[in-house]
């Protein structure tokens, strides 16, 4: 652990110490994730003290989220959705409503369940709402019930994927960025919690009226095609970029797409914007790179993980039951 990281954390009223977690890595001199723990027994397991410290150090915490791409709050005794919601509210980042295929349930305030798809399925790495015009800047996750086995939430420093893809496929990366991407996704009418992408269009657009759904889809930057015999709707998104550079993140070129997750799947597709196919070997190798760069974060009860959604992809490993992780998405 670098002395600079310890010093900067300890400088905030002696409240935060710096810890370590399994899977943590160092990238360009920064710990990912940065693990903030109670600096003393007096504040250990003290949720109210944590809230007060976050109020006093809100700007510093946001700076750490951007600098380190992920911040883990561990050992502060956060017990449930109500206490987690208080932390989300304290951080002061505006709420952004989730739009996407994952089945979710509202719990309290700004808190929802994470993807309720079958625990035995792997949820592939993604930037939250990457295809929507307005996507979250931060994703905040809370572990209420850690799984007995598996169930990790691995995440990936997005720029590392771009760096490696550029080394192996420079012409393909630049061609995809220049021409753009086109995605399609098929959603049924009703929710299907037996699928990790089982959210129906009625829930996603908060209406049963097709005309209203079309208006809301267009506002989100997508077109729709209604399938015959009430078999659902195909959403069409594009053109979209392959990579993006965001302010304040060292000019890093982020792998801000979901090509690997949607290419050639039963209910989805990813192609060039003109509809031509992306080479399968390129997609396969990018998937290998993403996995190789993943940080295998494992949950403990009461953990709060803040991800910079502009800089990290995240997923979910197959899990034993029970597992209960809650989420809030913020601008």
């Amino acid at each position: 652990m670098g002395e600079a990281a310890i010093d900067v954390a300890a400088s905030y009223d002696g409240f935060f110490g710096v810890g370590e977690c399994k899977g943590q890595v160092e990238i360009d001199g920064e710990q990912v994730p940065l693990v903030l723990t109670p600096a003393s027994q007096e504040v250990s397991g003290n949720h109210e003290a944590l809230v007060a410290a976050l109020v006093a150090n809100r700007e510093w915490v946001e700076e750490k989220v951007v600098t380190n791409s992920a911040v883990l709050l561990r050992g502060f005794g956060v017990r449930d959705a109500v206490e987690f919601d208080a932390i989300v509210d304290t951080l002061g980042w505006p709420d952004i409503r989730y739009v996407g295929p994952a089945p979710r349930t509202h719990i309290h305030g700004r808190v929802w369940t994470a993807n309720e798809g079958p625990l035995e399925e792997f949820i592939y790495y993604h930037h939250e709402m990457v295809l929507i015009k307005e996507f979250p800047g931060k994703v905040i996750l809370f572990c209420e019930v850690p799984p007995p086995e598996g169930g990790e939430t691995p995440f990936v420093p997005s720029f590392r994927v771009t760096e490696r893809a550029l080394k192996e496929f420079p012409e393909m990366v630049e061609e995809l960025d220049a021409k753009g991407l086109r995605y399609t996704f098929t959603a049924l009418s009703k929710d299907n919690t037996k699928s990790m992408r089982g959210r129906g269009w009625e829930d996603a657009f908060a209406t049963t009226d097709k005309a209203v759904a079309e208006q809301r889809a267009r506002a989100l930057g997508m077109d729709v095609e209604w399938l015959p015999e009430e078999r659902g709707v195909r959403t069409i998104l594009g053109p979209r970029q392959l990579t993006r550079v965001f302010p304040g993140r060292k000019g890093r070129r982020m792998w801000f797409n979901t090509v690997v997750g949607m290419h050639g799947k039963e209910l989805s597709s990813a192609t060039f914007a003109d509809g031509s196919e992306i080479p399968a070997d390129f997609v396969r190798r990018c998937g290998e790179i993403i996995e190789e760069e993943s940080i295998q974060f494992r949950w403990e009860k009461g953990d709060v993980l803040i991800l910079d959604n502009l800089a990290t992809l995240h997923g979910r490993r197959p899990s034993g039951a029970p597992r209960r992780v809650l989420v809030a998405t913020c601008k």
Side-chain angles (χ1 to χ4, degrees):
M1 185 69 65
E3 291 184 4
I6 294 175
D7 290 342
V8 72
S11 69
Y12 280 79
D13 301 325
F15 185 87
F16 293 114
V18 172
E20 297 179 349
C21 69
K22 186 177 180 180
Q24 185 182 49
V25 300
E26 184 173 310
I27 299 176
D28 295 342
E30 303 291 349
Q31 295 298 321
V32 183
L34 174 65
V35 182
L36 298 182
T37 61
S40 67
Q41 287 297 320
E42 287 72 21
V43 296
S44 179
N46 189 331
H47 164 260
E48 293 181 354
L50 172 62
V51 169
L54 292 175
V55 169
N57 303 305
R58 184 181 296 152
E59 292 183 1
W60 177 77
V61 172
E62 182 164 18
E63 175 190 325
K64 294 292 107 184
V65 173
V66 172
T67 299
N68 296 77
S69 299
V71 171
L72 173 62
L73 303 173
R74 173 167 283 178
F76 294 100
V78 184
R79 294 174 297 183
D80 54 30
V82 174
E83 293 186 352
F84 175 49
D85 186 62
I87 291 171
V88 173
D89 188 58
T90 296
L91 288 168
W93 302 320
D95 186 42
I96 185 167
R97 183 180 183 272
Y98 172 73
V99 177
R104 293 182 172 181
T105 301
H106 180 247
I107 302 299
H108 176 84
R110 294 170 58 180
V111 176
W112 295 69
T113 57
N115 192 318
E116 295 178 354
L119 288 177
E120 63 270 19
E121 293 188 24
F122 175 47
I123 297 175
Y124 196 71
Y125 302 100
H126 58 284
H127 290 272
E128 201 69 36
M129 294 166 56
V130 64
L131 302 183
I132 307 302
K133 282 184 175 180
E134 187 178 29
F135 41 80
K138 289 98 176 171
V139 174
I140 313 176
L141 298 152
F142 161 62
C143 182
E144 188 172 28
V145 180
E149 59 181 352
E152 296 90 348
T153 296
F155 57 92
V156 181
S158 192
F159 81 99
R160 294 286 286 264
V161 183
T162 307
E163 285 183 344
R164 292 184 57 183
L166 278 167
K167 287 181 180 178
E168 296 189 33
F169 305 95
E171 294 180 357
M172 179 57 62
V173 170
E174 299 300 358
E175 183 180 4
L176 282 166
D177 249 346
K179 293 183 176 179
L181 297 160
R182 179 181 186 266
Y183 300 93
T184 69
F185 180 78
T186 299
L188 303 177
S189 297
K190 305 295 183 182
D191 289 351
N192 175 18
T193 56
K194 293 182 180 180
S195 169
M196 64 181 180
R197 290 181 171 177
R199 191 182 190 195
W201 67 262
E202 293 179 3
D203 183 21
F205 296 122
T207 182
T208 58
D209 188 316
K210 290 183 178 181
V212 174
E214 289 181 13
Q215 292 175 351
R216 292 176 179 173
R218 285 194 294 270
L220 294 167
M222 63 180 76
D223 295 321
V224 298
E225 291 179 357
W226 297 102
L227 302 179
E229 301 176 0
E230 299 299 318
R231 289 191 291 115
V233 63
R234 179 182 293 112
T235 57
I236 304 156
L237 304 98
R240 296 289 191 271
Q241 293 174 261
L242 183 76
T243 68
R244 292 189 63 166
V245 177
F246 295 101
R249 289 160 179 83
K250 303 180 181 179
R252 290 169 170 171
R253 194 170 169 184
M254 305 301 181
W255 187 255
F256 209 71
N257 66 79
T258 184
V259 167
V260 177
M262 293 183 69
H263 180 269
K265 302 299 191 295
E266 180 181 359
L267 296 177
S268 66
S269 69
T271 64
F272 279 94
D274 63 5
S276 57
E277 288 296 324
I278 301 171
D281 61 340
F282 169 78
V283 178
R284 176 191 55 77
R285 180 58 187 142
C286 289
E288 292 173 350
I289 292 170
I290 290 170
E291 185 60 52
E292 290 164 5
E293 292 293 334
S294 64
I295 296 168
Q296 301 301 312
F297 167 76
R298 186 165 177 82
W299 290 109
E300 293 184 7
K301 183 177 177 58
D303 281 348
V304 175
L305 178 66
I306 309 171
L307 294 175
D308 180 357
N309 189 50
L310 308 185
T312 58
L313 307 102
H314 68 279
R316 187 197 71 191
R317 292 285 185 208
S319 176
R323 179 189 190 271
R324 184 172 170 86
V325 173
L326 306 180
V327 64
T329 47
C330 309
K331 295 182 179 178

